[in-house]
Amino acid sequence: MPREAGIPRSLRGCSGSPRQGAPRRTRGGGDLEGAGLPEPPPSGAAMPGPRKRLPREQEAEAAADATLAKAPSPPRLGAAFFDQPCVRLARALLGQILVRRLPDGRALRGRIVETEAYLGGEDTASHSRGGRQTARNTAMFMAPGTLYVYQIYGIYFCMNISSQGEGAAVLLRSLEPLQGLEAMRELRLAQRKGATRSLKDRHLCNGPSKLCQALAVDKTFDQQDLACHPAVWLEPGLDVPREEDVISAPRIGISGEWAQQPLRFYVWGNPCVSVTDKAAEGARGSQPPAEASPCC
């Protein structure tokens, strides 16, 4: 697919519709992964209702949501935040707050605690390896901050954010739920037909496809501008991890010569991370930081 001529950043579209043909200086990908996938729904099974919450749980969650709803909305992260090299963006995203506003007005928030960098070019695990550009991965060749949402196994979705670098982007792997947990639970359970076990808070978004289910993110968000979209955006986090609190480890479900590249980043000690790497953590030779995660 031939590349289109560049469009100045000042002309980037913010209408909420896909930015067709809006190219970028740099792009992004993300690849198939196995860990953190929701369980495939069995055919013919009845759909369960949401788990009944105990009164104290309901009161605590309602109070937390009400507090967040009344608080002034922090400024969203703009185009300049995303306009950085892929690995740097993958680290910078940790601790930031992903916000999803549902059609009924409810706001869902989660702290990003795990990401994976996909560099394009020689990165054989990337959808854009070798500069390959297709109808599916067009978003990887658009401006930094463009969402690349793709489907795997014909069922699940994964969400990436484009960065600097030809064919480069960051896969969002896990969130720590902060607001709207009951809505997240409802959305997850709606996809788990026939499920009998309830979902713990830390399991709501601990995987790239679980994250998309919990936030109702699907292919319609592909090619959207995260810097100005009305239904999904990033807010600056107040608890951004220090460099020494971030673990670099191999990506999940990757094979080939790039399998061992330490391009997965996660907040050490956070219980909402999808998969921990004991070898990478052990190499630090110290204890993980204390995590205060009441929701997980």
Side-chain angles (χ1 to χ4, degrees), residues 45 105 123-124 170 192 204 230 246 248:
D123 184 352
T124 57
V170 178
R192 300 174 76 235
L204 290 174
V246 174
S248 302

Side-chain angles (χ1 to χ4, degrees), residues 61 65 68 97-111 175-188 205 211-217 231-233 235:
E61 187 170 312
D65 285 356
L68 286 170
I97 308 302
L98 182 63
V99 186
R100 168 76 166 101
R101 187 170 295 283
L102 298 176
D104 62 10
R106 288 181 294 177
L108 313 179
R109 281 179 168 82
R111 177 188 178 217
L175 299 180
E176 175 185 328
L178 299 177
Q179 180 184 6
L181 277 68
E182 197 56 38
M184 294 180 186
R185 186 170 285 105
E186 292 173 3
L187 289 164
R188 285 291 316 282
C205 307
L211 181 160
C212 286
Q213 283 187 355
L215 300 185
V217 170
V232 62
W233 64 89
E235 295 173 351

